[in-house]
């Protein structure tokens, strides 16, 4: 961690929120965390960030942003709530050039272009969290532009990301998160830590890129999991019947088509996707 940066001299976050008349917006999926010790613990999850670039989505009044700056990170934050731009500007002035704020919708940002290689650390707005995660986990380019993901979700969503086969939480999100990355549940966060308290508990998932299995396209795995888990209570012979080549792939791999999607391992999904890809031309990597 670096020495004094000016961030430590800022007034308490609760005072900043009151001075700017801020209130968390339900429409934007906002819930603020004011406990600076908790925020420091969250900012420490990715490991040493001194001199590292961090991308934050939805910083709000800047609680987690402060913690990241205290870790010595250079932060690029995207915020669509114009009410939060003034307190973020104050934080940027105190951080002596280590905070860049992009006003806009995170779903519309070209992160690889605007941010470059970075760790992503965010208390994600609940209404866009899953969509952002699926985008960050997708695409054919691997390793990805991000170095690690440290993300706050509703606890139910977090458990789906790290779920193992043959459990009620296991589904498409688990496969997409685990086939070429390593997610773990890093911290549970009680609803009372937020202002206002959400109706659900939260948890933080930490994800690092892993090796990409050879001969598998992300697009094939995405199509496969969408079909398999779109009708998860049905046997594979029914849920995959509309996916060209899928039943033949099951036969070649000696996978019983009477099984259901939640019983297949990550490795089995990868093997099926590889078979699907063999019948189609591979795009340049």
């Amino acid at each position: 961690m670096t020495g004094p940066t000016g961030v430590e001299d800022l007034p308490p976050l609760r005072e900043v929120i009151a001075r700017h008349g801020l209130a968390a917006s339900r429409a934007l999926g906002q819930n603020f965390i004011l406990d600076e010790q908790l925020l420091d613990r969250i900012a420490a999850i990715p490991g040493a960030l001194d001199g590292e670039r961090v991308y934050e989505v939805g910083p709000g009044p800047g609680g987690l942003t402060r913690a990241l700056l205290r870790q010595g990170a250079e932060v690029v934050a995207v915020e669509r709530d114009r009410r939060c731009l003034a307190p973020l500007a104050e934080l940027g002035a105190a951080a002596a050039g280590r905070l860049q704020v992009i006003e806009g919708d995170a779903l519309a940002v070209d992160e690889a272009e605007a941010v470059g290689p970075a760790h992503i650390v965010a208390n994600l707005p609940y209404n866009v969290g899953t969509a952002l995660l699926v985008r960050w986990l997708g695409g054919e380019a691997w390793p990805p532009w991000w170095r690690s993901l440290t993300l706050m979700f509703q606890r139910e969503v977090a458990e789906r990301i790290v779920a193992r086969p043959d459990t009620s939480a296991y589904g498409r999100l688990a496969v997409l998160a685990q086939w070429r990355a390593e997610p773990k549940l890093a911290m549970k966060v009680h609803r009372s830590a937020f202002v206002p308290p959400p109706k659900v508990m939260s948890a933080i998932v930490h994800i690092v890129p892993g090796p990409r299995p050879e001969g598998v396209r992300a697009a094939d795995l995405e199509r496969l999991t969408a079909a398999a888990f779109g009708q998860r209570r049905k046997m594979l012979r029914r849920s995959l019947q509309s996916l060209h080549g899928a039943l033949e792939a099951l036969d070649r791999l000696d996978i019983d088509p009477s099984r259901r999607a939640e019983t297949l391992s990550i490795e089995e999904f990868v093997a099926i996707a590889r078979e699907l890809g063999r019948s189609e031309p591979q795009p340049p990597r």
Side-chain angles (χ1 to χ4, degrees), residues 217 220 223-224 227 239-250 252 272-273 275-280:
R217 294 188 303 184
D220 290 327
R223 289 189 301 119
L224 172 63
S239 61
L240 298 182
Q241 63 181 349
S242 62
L243 185 59
H244 177 72
L247 297 184
E248 292 80 0
L250 295 181
R252 288 194 296 272
I272 298 169
E275 289 293 318
L276 292 177
R278 284 175 176 164
S279 62
E280 299 179 11

Side-chain angles (χ1 to χ4, degrees), residues 124 129-134 136-137 146 149-165 167-186 203-208 266:
L124 289 175
T130 302
L132 284 170
L133 176 65
V134 170
W136 291 331
L137 292 172
W146 50 268
L149 305 175
T150 303
L151 306 173
M152 178 94 72
F153 293 99
Q154 298 178 41
R155 192 167 73 183
E156 177 183 346
V157 176
E159 290 171 346
R160 286 165 51 201
I161 295 168
V162 301
R164 306 308 300 168
T167 62
S168 60
Y170 182 69
R172 186 173 188 234
L173 202 54
V175 178
L176 297 181
Q178 296 176 37
W179 78 282
R180 57 180 179 178
E182 301 172 10
K184 68 176 182 178
L185 195 63
I204 297 171
V205 175
H206 181 62
I207 304 175
V208 294
I266 304 292

